[in-house]
Amino acid sequence: MKRVVPLADARDLPIHKRPVTLLFLMAIAMPLSFATWSALLNNFVIEVAQFDGADIGWLHTVREIPGFLAIGVIAVILFVREQTLAMISLAMLGIATGMTAYFPSMGGLLFVTLISSIGFHYYETVNQSLQLQWLPKDRAPQMLGLLVSAASAATLVAYGVIVVTWRAYDLSYNFVYMVSGALTLIIVAYCVLMMPHFEAPNPQVKKFILRKRYWLYYALQFMSGARRQIFVVFAAFMMVERFGLGVDEITKLMLVTLMANMVLAPVLGQIVHRFGERNAMAVEYAGLVVVFVLYGGIYWFGWGVMLATVLYIVNNIFFALALALKTYFQKIADPGDIAPTAAVAFTINHIAAVFLPAVLGYLWLVSPGAVFGLAAAMALVSLILALMIPRHPEPGNETVFSVYVPAPAE
């Protein structure tokens, strides 16, 4: 049986066995599979599986079903430690990514995407919970920024290899998917064999909870999922469908985005720490309103690929500020609520994601600009909600409407 180490004692462990090291290894392992899958996906489904806008919408709808069902994590952690569930989920993601090119049809891709998505979404749910449990509040924004940088660095390596070798060595989709999945599995094996189990000081509530004082956090999560889904599904798809970018060109675009995130993510973490979650999210959402309106202009006014490229990069930089939503919740939450609320929040985040890609896939066939116009409206709603966050959120002071009292027992 693996050794269980209380979190307070983990600081005495060698650096390669500490909780923060495990967080960084997981931050690296996930994008090696997921980012590679994403980079190749649009070219793969168009060139090999002959997808159109409606097909890609259905694929992403199926991909988001496990996110909607992330609340099931609460049941799973009754029997499995969160850390163990994170390892199982990462292994599922790695295996499914490696198998992707063996299923070049609508039905086959829906199946393998569902498996990889269960791994991805359950990993993301418990990873967020572990981050908020293991990182001290006064350092969480900075550390989350560094974790974003680590994930970006891993993705940068994956994309860099694709750019350099894709045409030079005439690589196949199958080879790239297999290698990326295998690398994730190697890191998982190290974490399973070398890391102890870490025990946080606050036992997590292992039941469904929905607290009314978290209502603003829930609302922001819902809008975040709806708005982000439009970008994830249609932004890169547009670059291939409208402008005909190849695998190496799409990957170069993602490389530039990642390099920007590697440099800026720690800075953004410092900004959140310095100026607070409300101001950081207000800047993010106001910026996204402008970005999505300009995306619509590409179709309404026939603007070119250079603007689309700039918008794609800027959009991703704004998304890096999403760490502010995590630290907002960390500040207002009861310590034992983190794991169950992470699961509930993931489900709320994916409510719109389950139906939006399929519905908007059909709207895309009629008016792609309208899809991005809808995203701009969602960003505006998010901005209004963000302005309801107090300057110093804490239990009992969750919104600007709160009359500050100690958080009630529920």
Short mmCIF file of all heavy atoms in Angstrom, two decimals, residues 32 152-162 255 258:
data_model
loop_
_atom_site.label_atom_id
_atom_site.label_comp_id
_atom_site.label_asym_id
_atom_site.label_seq_id
_atom_site.Cartn_x
_atom_site.Cartn_y
_atom_site.Cartn_z
N LEU A 32 0.19 17.10 -23.17
CA LEU A 32 0.92 16.30 -24.15
C LEU A 32 -0.05 15.49 -25.00
O LEU A 32 0.15 15.34 -26.21
CB LEU A 32 1.92 15.38 -23.45
CG LEU A 32 3.18 16.04 -22.88
CD1 LEU A 32 4.03 15.03 -22.14
CD2 LEU A 32 4.00 16.71 -23.99
N SER A 152 1.79 25.14 -20.66
CA SER A 152 2.09 25.77 -21.95
C SER A 152 3.43 25.30 -22.49
O SER A 152 3.59 25.09 -23.70
CB SER A 152 2.08 27.29 -21.80
OG SER A 152 0.80 27.77 -21.46
N ALA A 153 4.41 25.13 -21.60
CA ALA A 153 5.73 24.67 -22.03
C ALA A 153 5.66 23.26 -22.60
O ALA A 153 6.28 22.95 -23.63
CB ALA A 153 6.71 24.72 -20.85
N ALA A 154 4.88 22.38 -21.93
CA ALA A 154 4.73 21.02 -22.45
C ALA A 154 4.06 21.03 -23.81
O ALA A 154 4.46 20.31 -24.73
CB ALA A 154 3.90 20.19 -21.46
N THR A 155 3.04 21.86 -23.95
CA THR A 155 2.34 21.96 -25.22
C THR A 155 3.25 22.56 -26.29
O THR A 155 3.22 22.15 -27.46
CB THR A 155 1.08 22.82 -25.07
OG1 THR A 155 0.35 22.37 -23.93
CG2 THR A 155 0.20 22.72 -26.28
N LEU A 156 4.09 23.51 -25.87
CA LEU A 156 5.04 24.13 -26.79
C LEU A 156 5.98 23.08 -27.38
O LEU A 156 6.25 23.07 -28.60
CB LEU A 156 5.83 25.20 -26.06
CG LEU A 156 6.89 25.96 -26.87
CD1 LEU A 156 6.23 26.81 -27.94
CD2 LEU A 156 7.74 26.83 -25.96
N VAL A 157 6.48 22.20 -26.54
CA VAL A 157 7.37 21.14 -27.02
C VAL A 157 6.63 20.25 -28.02
O VAL A 157 7.15 19.92 -29.10
CB VAL A 157 7.90 20.30 -25.84
CG1 VAL A 157 8.65 19.07 -26.35
CG2 VAL A 157 8.81 21.15 -24.97
N ALA A 158 5.39 19.85 -27.66
CA ALA A 158 4.62 18.98 -28.56
C ALA A 158 4.37 19.67 -29.90
O ALA A 158 4.59 19.08 -30.97
CB ALA A 158 3.29 18.62 -27.90
N TYR A 159 3.94 20.93 -29.86
CA TYR A 159 3.67 21.65 -31.10
C TYR A 159 4.95 21.88 -31.91
O TYR A 159 4.95 21.81 -33.13
CB TYR A 159 3.00 22.98 -30.79
CG TYR A 159 1.57 22.88 -30.32
CD1 TYR A 159 0.91 24.01 -29.85
CD2 TYR A 159 0.88 21.68 -30.36
CE1 TYR A 159 -0.42 23.93 -29.43
CE2 TYR A 159 -0.43 21.59 -29.94
CZ TYR A 159 -1.08 22.72 -29.47
OH TYR A 159 -2.38 22.65 -29.05
N GLY A 160 6.04 22.21 -31.20
CA GLY A 160 7.31 22.45 -31.88
C GLY A 160 7.77 21.23 -32.67
O GLY A 160 8.24 21.34 -33.81
N VAL A 161 7.62 20.07 -32.06
CA VAL A 161 8.01 18.83 -32.74
C VAL A 161 7.13 18.60 -33.97
O VAL A 161 7.61 18.20 -35.03
CB VAL A 161 7.92 17.63 -31.76
CG1 VAL A 161 8.11 16.32 -32.52
CG2 VAL A 161 8.96 17.77 -30.67
N ILE A 162 5.82 18.89 -33.84
CA ILE A 162 4.92 18.70 -34.98
C ILE A 162 5.30 19.64 -36.12
O ILE A 162 5.38 19.23 -37.29
CB ILE A 162 3.46 18.94 -34.55
CG1 ILE A 162 2.99 17.84 -33.59
CG2 ILE A 162 2.54 18.97 -35.78
CD1 ILE A 162 1.63 18.11 -32.97
N LEU A 255 1.67 27.56 -31.40
CA LEU A 255 2.99 27.77 -30.79
C LEU A 255 3.17 29.21 -30.33
O LEU A 255 3.64 29.47 -29.21
CB LEU A 255 4.09 27.41 -31.80
CG LEU A 255 4.57 25.97 -31.85
CD1 LEU A 255 5.55 25.79 -33.00
CD2 LEU A 255 5.24 25.59 -30.54
N LEU A 258 1.12 29.76 -27.28
CA LEU A 258 1.70 29.13 -26.10
C LEU A 258 2.89 29.92 -25.57
O LEU A 258 3.07 30.07 -24.36
CB LEU A 258 2.13 27.70 -26.43
CG LEU A 258 0.97 26.71 -26.50
CD1 LEU A 258 1.41 25.44 -27.18
CD2 LEU A 258 0.46 26.41 -25.10
#
